[in-house]
Each structure stands twice: as C-alpha cells, then as structure tokens.
Amino acid sequence: MSIDNGFKINRRRLLQTAAATGGLVAMHGVAGGLLSRPARAAGHELSTMRSTAKSWLWAAEDYGRDGGFFEQAGVKVASNASGRGVNVAALIGGEVDIVLGSPDSAILAAAQGQPLKIFAGMVNKYASHVVIKKDILDKAGVTESSPVEAKAAVLKGLKLGTTGPGAAPDNLFRFLLSKANLDPDRDTHLVGIQGGGQALLASMERGVIDGFCLSSPTSDIAVSKFGAAYLFNMATNPPPELANYLYITAYTTEKTIAEKRAALVNYCKGLALTLRSIQSDRAAFRGWAETWFEGLEPTIFGPAFDTNSRIFMDTPMPSAAQFELNRQFVNRGAATRGQPGLPDSMTFEKAYDPSIAQEALASL
C-alpha cells in the first residue's frame, strides 16, 4: 500500500482559491524542509520551525501566511519543518526565530535555565490523536467511546509510535498510561520515529508499531487506509483534564524578543487576524484547506475539516489558567520518568510573555 499522502501544492488551484478568498499568496515549494518563502516585501521577516510539514496543528500559521494575514500585519514568515518532535535546540542555536509546538518543551527548557518565552497560542485542544490497529481494539472490546481508563489499559504491551522522547505524542502516551496505572517504560514500548506522518504510517504497515500518536490528517489516513481505528480523538473526545489545553504555541528566545520585538508583535497581529478569519469565515478557511491538503479523498477531508477547524483559539493570547494545566501535565509526565516536576518558582510570568500578544491585539 502506498503511503504517499498526496499533499501536493497545485499552484493553479491555489491561485484560484486566492481569487475566491481575498488574496491568498501562492506557495513556492516544500524542498529541503522549507515550506514557504516570503512572497512580497513587508516590514519585518521571521523564520519559524515545526516538527512536521503538514498538519492541522500548524494550519493557523500556514493559512495566515498563504492568506496574506501576516503580510497585512507587516511581517514576512518563512515556515520550516524539521522532522523532529522537539526543536528547542534549533531555537537556542539561532537557526530560526520562532518554534511552533507544545508549550511543555519550552516550559521544561525555561525551568532548566534556557532563556525562552512562550508569547502566543494557536490551538487549545491537545489535538494529537491516538490510533491503534483495529483488530487489537476489536479483540479487547474497546471503542473510541469507551471510558478513558479502559481505553488507556488497552495500550499495555503495545508498540506505540511517537515523534521522539519528550515530544507531545510521547508525553500524551505517558499521561494516558498513567491513567491506567501503567508504567510507560515497563508496560509498553514507546518507539521514537523520525520522518513525520509518512514514517509512522510505514512503520505501522510493516508491523514495527501497533499504533501511534499524531495529528490529523495522518491519523485520519491511518484509519481510512491502514486498518487503524481511533482510540483517542483528542479534538472531539479528550480526557476531561485536556478539554481546554493550550497545545500549540509560538515561543522564542529572550534575545529575539529584545532584538525583534516589533516583528513578533506583527506576527501576533497576523495570527490574530488569521484566527479571526478561521472563526468568522469558515468557507474561506475550507477553500484554503482543500488546496493545502490536496490529495486527501473527500471522505477523509470532510470529517477532518469539520473536526479540526474547531481546535483553534479565538485570539493568540495565552492565560495563566492554561499555564496551570501545562504545569499539571508536565509534572505528571515527569513522575512517569521518575523525575522531579517543575519547581514552584516556575511561574506563568517566567514561562510566558503575554505582553507581545497584548500589544498586537491592542493595535487591531
């Protein structure tokens, strides 16, 4: 079975969508991990990095870039994909200006003395989903609607694909296993696999893993094409503790804040405009998404859009309450590793800089 997801950029269709949705900027390719290059001149330039090339998790930035919302805010954005689950080192090393991802990695790095700050939020659902081979779930008599603890117990003894230790999928598996009083390092096998969705699908097809955790559309493809079923659809039926969880954030270094604050404010402004459009003009967002995820069959795309178009925040402003959920989640994961949790000194103010988003929103 082919694992080519078919996510091909069709320039003609993208330009047609541009005319229909108010000026989408055409893409320039995906070679070498670079998802885009800035289109027309703007006041500032920023580079960003995420773990995978295409996912609903990154769609706020991708739609903001292609839809011209960042350009309207006065910033050019070049998006990169690393194929790694954790990208803190690239940020500290100055390879990029911003990393998109779970706040957990940034908070842990900040607690260890790294000069990082989370300054914006995009997704407030822990929308990395758990899919397992359907025959395993059928044998266990468990479905996606079963109680959380019963679903977590099914994971015992399985080989579970993640994007690497410390990344969001690894952390979610640890959280779920702890719900069933299972030890992630003894009662199951967490298998780190680089290469994003295609690598995870190939690993499941070859029997290297029994299932994995990753966002849509890879999880949808696993269900449609690779004999998997949803065990946890985190967008529609998450554990109660993760129903309003700040999951995808933008974070940077204190040095970048000092040197490029105006650009970061404009980034947040463009993100705010994008999130506003996602909420108020679903038809335009869907038109863009049909092009961005070109190659997905309608039977996959339709349900994926209905679910994943609702995972985004109304504004990029992070909150102290969301940080408290981050703290609880990080501490629970640390306990499964036999490690200490976050120190009491690790406060919202030390992990986050909400003033950048505040300034951006005040300018709208």
Side-chain angles (χ1 to χ4, degrees), residues 272-296:
L273 293 171
T274 304
L275 294 172
R276 179 185 295 177
S277 176
I278 289 173
Q279 302 298 341
S280 64
D281 194 347
R282 287 173 58 82
F285 183 48
R286 184 180 181 117
W288 169 83
E290 287 175 341
T291 299
W292 185 238
F293 293 112
E294 184 179 10
L296 281 182

Side-chain angles (χ1 to χ4, degrees), residues 123-135:
V123 172
N124 63 350
K125 295 285 186 291
Y126 205 114
S128 284
H129 313 296
V130 176
V131 291
I132 303 294
K133 290 179 179 177
K134 189 174 184 300
D135 58 354

Side-chain angles (χ1 to χ4, degrees), residues 14-350:
L14 186 55
L15 291 174
Q16 289 173 342
T17 306
T21 58
L24 293 177
V25 180
M27 295 289 294
H28 292 264
V30 189
L34 181 63
L35 300 180
S36 71
R37 296 180 179 85
R40 290 177 288 179
H44 301 281
E45 297 183 16
L46 291 170
S47 59
T48 72
M49 181 174 285
R50 78 283 291 272
S51 59
T52 57
K54 292 198 176 184
S55 165
W56 290 100
L57 296 181
W58 327 122
E61 179 175 276
D62 294 329
Y63 183 42
R65 185 193 59 240
D66 300 345
F69 298 110
F70 287 123
E71 183 180 357
Q72 181 181 342
V75 62
K76 297 188 292 185
V77 177
S79 303
N80 302 270
S82 69
R84 301 185 301 268
V86 178
N87 292 296
V88 170
L91 189 61
I92 297 297
E95 295 178 37
V96 291
D97 299 307
I98 298 168
V99 163
L100 308 185
S102 166
D104 304 347
S105 298
I107 292 171
L108 285 167
Q112 295 166 3
Q114 296 290 354
L116 302 182
K117 293 286 188 181
I118 301 165
F119 66 92
M122 302 179 189
V123 172
N124 63 350
K125 295 285 186 291
Y126 205 114
S128 284
H129 313 296
V130 176
V131 291
I132 303 294
K133 290 179 179 177
K134 189 174 184 300
D135 58 354
I136 293 175
L137 300 185
D138 289 344
K139 183 177 180 180
V142 170
T143 69
E144 207 275 323
S145 61
S146 297
V148 171
E149 290 75 12
K151 292 193 292 184
V154 172
L155 300 174
K156 184 175 182 179
L158 299 186
K159 296 170 291 185
L160 305 171
T162 79
T163 53
D170 179 86
N171 291 336
L172 181 59
F173 273 132
R174 289 177 177 277
F175 170 84
L176 296 172
L177 289 160
S178 72
K179 298 283 286 184
N181 296 315
L182 296 173
D183 186 326
D185 298 314
R186 295 179 182 176
D187 296 325
T188 191
H189 306 280
L190 296 177
V191 183
I193 296 173
Q194 291 194 2
Q198 291 193 8
L200 285 164
L201 291 170
S203 296
M204 189 165 68
E205 184 179 34
R206 295 196 301 264
V208 175
I209 56 176
D210 300 307
F212 61 82
C213 178
L214 202 68
S215 58
S216 175
T218 303
S219 56
D220 301 310
I221 294 169
V223 171
S224 177
K225 302 291 187 181
F226 289 80
Y230 271 105
L231 184 63
F232 285 93
N233 187 319
M234 298 294 291
T236 60
N237 188 26
E241 304 96 314
L242 302 180
N244 182 27
Y245 188 86
L246 183 55
Y247 182 44
I248 297 302
T249 60
Y251 54 95
T252 189
T253 63
E254 293 178 358
K255 181 176 184 289
T256 299
I257 292 175
E259 296 178 351
K260 299 183 179 182
R261 181 182 175 89
L264 295 173
V265 170
N266 285 353
Y267 181 89
C268 280
K269 184 177 179 180
L271 186 58
L273 293 171
T274 304
L275 294 172
R276 179 185 295 177
S277 176
I278 289 173
Q279 302 298 341
S280 64
D281 194 347
R282 287 173 58 82
F285 183 48
R286 184 180 181 117
W288 169 83
E290 287 175 341
T291 299
W292 185 238
F293 293 112
E294 184 179 10
L296 281 182
E297 298 172 7
T299 54
I300 298 176
F301 177 82
F305 179 82
D306 291 342
T307 296
N308 293 285
S309 61
R310 304 179 190 279
I311 67 175
F312 302 99
M313 298 172 64
D314 292 333
T315 78
M317 177 64 68
S319 72
Q322 289 172 323
F323 169 73
E324 282 305 313
L325 290 177
N326 296 151
R327 170 191 285 281
Q328 294 170 24
F329 189 83
V330 168
N331 287 347
R332 192 160 189 165
T336 70
R337 299 181 178 92
Q339 300 172 345
L342 294 171
D344 292 340
S345 60
M346 195 63 209
T347 62
F348 174 70
E349 290 75 17
K350 288 191 176 180

